[in-house]
Amino acid sequence: LLTEEEHEVVVVEQSTASLEKIRSQLDVKTIRGNAATPKVLKEAEANRADLVLAVTNNDETNMVACFIAKELGAKRTAARIRNPEYSGYFLTPAKSPTSARKIIRPKSLGVDIFINPEVEVANEIIAILSGVHSTPVEHFADSLVQIREFRVEGETLVNKKLTDIALPKPGVIAAVVRTRGVITPDTDTIIEAGDSVHVIAHRNHMDELGKVFSKPQRPAKKVVIIGGGRVGLLVAEELHSRGAMVKVIESNPKIAREIAANLEGPEIIQGDGTDRNMLWEQGVPSADAFVADTENDELDILACALAKRLGVPRSLTVVNNPNYIPLAEAVGIDVAGSPALLTARRIAHFVLH
């Protein structure tokens, strides 16, 4: 994303195989080494960087890298942090009951922005399930402006020019997505069967504009989640707090017991999320939405496809491998969210702001 915007990018990585892959695909400078050391960061010229991104799989490594980079002179830093306890404020112990306690803030650790991939995906899923359309949304201008994709479901719109479609509120159709790719529309663009459109509008107008293209659905009040992953549990907890009936199905008995002990509210069931009879018994056909978040992308896609066949109007899956997103969409899954892609988009927003 950053090289496409013609930023000067340096990638630091310890894996030789990963570096070879990066060199073959991207026009970036690469350095092999541990990014949490001053020597390597100096070699990468972190001292003159406008932004240092620490996105290894280790929270502590990311924070140390940001701290050192900041000390070297980097203007801004961002770290991928999975442990939510790192991203908040905390107080140091006081010497006595009356003495002041020091407040430790994330910026004290040298990190300007914390990015949690699981939280990013969970927030995306919650926003979709709380709205009336099963499509992702991008936010701009402090969320006042949105870009949203809508599938064209009304047959009356097919073979109709975009300029002939009356929009009830101010908005712009910025792109049309079809099997041949994404096109920038002009005055002669005609809607074809199977198209989707990207609409830009004020957030308060988006739901009404979406009704022109897609049939609205009610916000999800009954949700079934398979898999006890962090994303699924974040979604379950938040939806329950909003009054939704949530059921979590986990195949591993030990994990199911741990979830039941730590998660209050949602119903926890131990069972196979790809078993048709099991899903039927747990009331999946009457659910408003089905979310898959196991550790297996193929299993998630299969379970969502099965849920759609059982009649669930909304199906959403978490895919760790972004290459599976086209497959998920091809089998009719409404939304496939990738923690890696959402994290990259969040970083890009931060950089391009």
Side-chain angles (χ1 to χ4, degrees):
L1 288 171
L2 296 178
T3 53
E4 286 176 3
E5 295 290 336
E6 298 184 351
H7 289 271
E8 181 186 349
V9 179
V10 180
V11 177
V12 179
E13 169 61 54
Q14 295 192 83
S15 165
T16 303
S18 294
L19 282 178
E20 290 298 327
K21 184 177 181 181
I22 290 167
R23 289 170 184 149
S24 66
Q25 295 179 354
L26 300 173
D27 181 19
V28 298
K29 180 181 177 182
T30 58
I31 296 173
R32 185 175 182 274
N34 181 359
T37 59
K39 179 183 177 182
V40 172
L41 286 172
K42 284 180 181 178
E43 185 182 353
E45 298 184 89
N47 58 296
R48 71 177 189 88
D50 295 307
L51 178 67
V52 171
L53 304 172
V55 290
T56 76
N57 291 325
N58 184 282
D59 290 356
E60 291 77 15
T61 297
N62 294 339
M63 288 192 292
V64 169
C66 285
F67 179 79
I68 296 174
K70 202 78 170 181
E71 290 294 305
L72 290 174
K75 291 181 182 177
R76 289 187 295 178
T77 61
R80 183 168 72 175
I81 303 294
R82 285 185 165 85
N83 186 343
E85 294 183 8
Y86 280 134
S87 57
Y89 298 89
F90 59 94
L91 302 174
T92 59
K95 294 180 180 179
S96 70
T98 57
S99 62
R101 291 190 293 173
K102 184 180 179 182
I103 300 176
I104 304 295
R105 295 176 172 84
K107 285 193 176 183
S108 303
L109 304 174
V111 183
D112 292 311
I113 181 171
F114 282 74
I115 302 167
N116 188 318
E118 286 80 13
V119 171
E120 294 295 322
V121 177
N123 288 340
E124 182 101 348
I125 292 173
I126 291 165
I128 292 170
L129 295 182
S130 301
V132 297
H133 294 285
S134 299
T135 52
V137 59
E138 289 282 353
H139 300 273
F140 297 90
D142 294 325
S143 296
L144 288 174
V145 178
Q146 294 181 348
I147 297 181
R148 191 155 200 162
E149 180 181 358
F150 298 103
R151 296 184 183 91
V152 179
E153 297 175 351
E155 293 184 4
T156 56
L157 297 179
V158 176
N159 297 324
K160 197 171 186 178
K161 280 188 177 183
L162 288 181
T163 51
D164 294 333
I165 298 175
L167 298 179
K169 295 288 184 179
V172 175
I173 300 175
V176 176
V177 183
R178 52 184 53 146
T179 54
R180 300 189 296 277
V182 180
I183 64 171
T184 302
D186 55 34
T187 55
D188 296 322
T189 300
I190 296 174
I191 292 290
E192 298 179 5
D195 279 355
S196 294
V197 295
H198 285 263
V199 177
I200 305 176
H202 191 284
R203 65 183 178 189
N204 294 340
H205 300 158
M206 195 58 82
D207 285 344
E208 191 169 348
L209 288 168
K211 294 176 184 178
V212 174
F213 306 98
S214 303
K215 183 180 179 181
Q217 300 168 315
R218 68 169 187 171
K221 296 298 183 183
K222 183 178 180 182
V223 181
V224 176
I225 300 171
I226 71 156
R230 185 175 293 181
V231 173
L233 297 185
L234 287 170
V235 171
E237 194 171 22
E238 178 61 24
L239 290 179
H240 175 75
S241 71
R242 298 186 182 194
M245 295 175 55
V246 183
K247 187 174 291 188
V248 179
I249 301 175
E250 168 57 50
S251 60
N252 187 306
K254 181 181 178 181
I255 295 177
R257 287 194 296 271
E258 290 176 355
I259 295 172
N262 296 312
L263 192 66
E264 295 183 6
E267 184 180 356
I268 312 301
I269 305 294
Q270 192 271 312
D272 182 2
T274 59
D275 184 327
R276 190 178 189 277
N277 293 331
M278 168 76 177
L279 296 181
W280 188 275
E281 291 171 1
Q282 296 304 323
V284 169
S286 62
D288 297 317
F290 183 90
V291 180
D293 178 35
T294 72
E295 294 182 351
N296 187 311
D297 288 350
E298 296 92 336
L299 185 69
D300 289 344
I301 293 172
L302 177 63
C304 279
L306 179 57
K308 291 292 284 187
R309 294 201 63 169
L310 290 174
V312 178
R314 297 185 183 185
S315 62
L316 305 91
T317 183
V318 179
V319 289
N320 294 300
N321 185 348
N323 293 327
Y324 281 124
I325 292 178
L327 172 62
E329 293 173 346
V331 297
I333 296 173
D334 295 299
V335 178
S338 163
L341 284 183
L342 285 173
T343 300
R345 276 162 41 191
R346 171 85 186 278
I347 293 169
H349 275 210
F350 179 63
V351 172
L352 302 175
H353 178 66

